[in-house]
Amino acid sequence: MPIRGLKIWEIALFLVRFYQLGINRVHLLGTSSFLTIALGAYMARHLFDWVSLDATSWRFAADHAQYFNLCDLSRENLKSSAIIGAEIANDCPCPYCGGLSFNQIKEVPFKRRVALLRGHNWWAVDKAFLDLYENSTCLIQLERFLKKRSKRRGKVDDLCSTLSLVEELKDVDIGVLQDIFAINFAKRKPSRARKQTVPA
């Protein structure tokens, strides 16, 4: 399922409908967003046999010297021109960073730096899914984990509200859930994808 341009609640609505149709395996195409991965991890634990994700953003980010922060997959600029204070430590345990500081990484020759960042970014996305899945046994656990890791408190609250509604209403008519989501979320900002409809 391609999800570019969809908000968290819109993705959740499609996933609930798939669940209601008896679909038990879902592949989300086009995201490496921490909170979308959190949604997928929670759905994988509670609604589906598995949820997989696919994206190329980790690779494109590496090509532009962007490093995925292990905490929340936000991007850090590691171009040669970036100014990084020596006090900012790189504590990433991945096999690609190899104990290098951020300043050392940005000084690595271009081709090697791209390869290093591709490896790191892929590893960070994979680890995020594993960590989020492990911390999705219940909604309270996931919320606590997300609030420790993500700086985007409002988005975390929106995700948790979405998942709470999904838990309560996943077995009712999809139109009811769609109306509640529209009341709670759709008024905030117009979505380019709003005109899409959930499969009947």
Side-chain angles (χ1 to χ4, degrees), residues 53-64:
L53 291 147
D54 184 359
T56 55
S57 49
W58 58 272
R59 181 169 54 84
F60 288 125
D63 294 349
H64 292 93

Side-chain angles (χ1 to χ4, degrees), residues 65 78 80 105-106 108-117:
L78 294 186
S80 299
I105 292 171
K106 73 184 186 94
V108 168
F110 178 77
K111 284 188 179 179
R112 280 184 46 220
R113 184 175 64 209
V114 167
L116 182 154
L117 290 174

Side-chain angles (χ1 to χ4, degrees), residues 93-120:
C94 86
Y96 303 97
C97 292
L100 298 171
S101 72
F102 290 123
N103 281 313
Q104 288 172 318
I105 292 171
K106 73 184 186 94
E107 297 305 325
V108 168
F110 178 77
K111 284 188 179 179
R112 280 184 46 220
R113 184 175 64 209
V114 167
L116 182 154
L117 290 174
R118 282 183 180 182
H120 164 82

